[in-house]
Amino acid sequence: QVQLVESGGGLVQAGGSLRLSCAAPGRTFSSAAMAWFRQAPGKEREFVAAINWSSGSTVFADSVKGRFTISRDGAKRTMYLQMNSLKPEDTAAYYCALREFGFATTIPDRYVYWGRGTQVTVSS
């Protein structure tokens, strides 16, 4: 069983920045992919960004391209989501997800392990 622990959420004004972290302590990955999804009240879970752990190649949703970056630190077994130029529509609970084998994908069902989420609220 893999435990994913998110942190870094909070309240920020529009135009501000936040950095989310997702740690997977005690695990090593060689062919994994990790991703961030978000879910606002009354809406379906939405893909945000994903990264292939070994190559560092990334995928982004159109809604966050140019504003968000995703990265990973192998030594710390941690993935990050740097969110800049935040908008009120970015308000949601953000979840990290992991698939131990396979490439980064936008499809949530491909990810086996999920964190509990961290809330991001952007005020206008």
Side-chain angles (χ1 to χ4, degrees):
Q1 189 71 14
V2 177
Q3 181 182 13
L4 302 178
V5 181
E6 300 112 330
S7 61
L11 173 64
V12 64
Q13 288 187 333
S17 299
L18 283 174
R19 189 177 79 155
L20 305 184
S21 300
C22 175
R27 303 289 297 193
T28 57
F29 307 118
S30 58
S31 58
M34 295 187 74
W36 290 97
F37 290 81
R38 66 187 181 187
Q39 188 167 20
K43 295 188 176 181
E44 293 187 353
R45 190 164 293 191
E46 174 189 26
F47 171 77
V48 177
I51 186 166
N52 288 301
W53 196 263
S54 59
S55 68
S57 59
T58 58
V59 183
F60 291 94
D62 288 344
S63 59
V64 306
K65 279 181 182 176
R67 301 188 298 122
F68 292 10
T69 58
I70 188 172
S71 61
R72 84 279 190 246
D73 184 325
K76 295 182 179 180
R77 301 180 182 90
T78 300
M79 173 180 66
Y80 303 98
L81 184 69
Q82 178 66 43
M83 306 184 293
N84 300 326
S85 301
L86 282 161
K87 304 175 182 180
E89 50 263 45
D90 294 318
T91 296
Y94 283 70
Y95 299 87
C96 68
L98 166 71
R99 59 184 314 204
E100 290 192 281
F101 304 99
F103 294 106
T105 175
T106 64
I107 303 171
D109 290 348
R110 297 288 191 264
Y111 295 89
V112 177
Y113 302 103
W114 290 81
R116 293 187 175 184
T118 185
Q119 179 67 35
V120 171
T121 303
V122 184
S123 63
S124 58

